[in-house]
Amino acid sequence: MNCNGSNEDNTGWDFIVEYPHEYDDVVLADKSPATKEFKIQIKATDLKKRKLPISLSNLMRLCNTPLPCFILFLEYNKKSEPESVFLVHISKDIIFNVLKSARENSLNKERKNFNKKP
C-alpha cells in the first residue's frame, strides 16, 4: 500500500492510503477499475479516555467524501509505545449522527462554529 500524508492538518484526514493498482491481462488497461483507497485520521492521547474530541468540521469532511474513512485512536498512557489502539470505521451510523448534529447546530439560534464543536 502507498500512504500519502496531508500537508495541512485542517482537512479532516491525516493520510490517504492507496492499494497497489492491478492491471488484469484480459481487461484493457484503459478499462481497468480505479485504484482502491481510503482516508484515515489519527488521534493520539496520553490518557485512557476512549474518547477524543474531533471538530464537527473534520467529521463532516470524513462523512461527505465518497471514500471509505477511518479514525485511528492511539492511547499511550504515559508510555513511549501505544498501550491501546482502536480503528473506527466512519459507518452509516456515525455519518447519520454527524449530519444530525450538524443540522441541529445549524438550526440552533446560539449555533457554534463547526471548527470548535466536538
Side-chain angles (χ1 to χ4, degrees):
M1 287 189 262
N2 188 18
C3 187
N4 296 302
S6 172
N7 291 333
E8 295 185 32
D9 195 19
N10 60 359
T11 57
W13 55 272
D14 292 317
F15 296 96
I16 291 181
V17 179
E18 297 175 311
Y19 289 90
H21 195 87
E22 295 180 18
Y23 294 100
D24 187 15
D25 293 339
V26 179
V27 177
L28 298 173
D30 63 320
K31 298 284 189 179
S32 65
T35 302
K36 293 181 176 100
E37 57 189 30
F38 62 90
K39 291 183 177 181
I40 189 160
Q41 170 75 39
I42 299 174
K43 292 292 190 182
T45 182
D46 244 351
L47 307 172
K48 276 190 130 175
K49 291 170 52 170
R50 302 274 160 107
K51 186 177 180 181
L52 293 170
I54 302 172
S55 69
L56 186 55
S57 61
N58 280 353
L59 286 170
M60 290 287 292
R61 284 177 177 261
L62 294 175
C63 290
N64 286 329
T65 183
L67 296 176
C69 294
F70 299 88
I71 302 173
L72 179 67
F73 294 97
L74 304 170
E75 291 180 347
Y76 284 86
N77 199 26
K78 311 283 188 217
K79 298 186 175 149
S80 60
E81 297 290 324
E83 189 173 84
S84 300
V85 178
F86 304 94
L87 184 66
V88 177
H89 175 245
I90 303 297
S91 64
K92 288 181 182 181
D93 291 340
I94 292 173
I95 292 170
F96 176 84
N97 289 328
V98 168
L99 295 178
K100 180 180 175 189
S101 180
R103 173 68 61 95
E104 288 171 351
N105 186 57
S106 296
L107 297 174
N108 190 339
K109 290 180 184 176
E110 298 161 7
R111 81 199 243 183
K112 298 178 182 177
N113 184 322
F114 277 12
N115 291 334
K116 306 293 181 205
K117 187 176 185 335

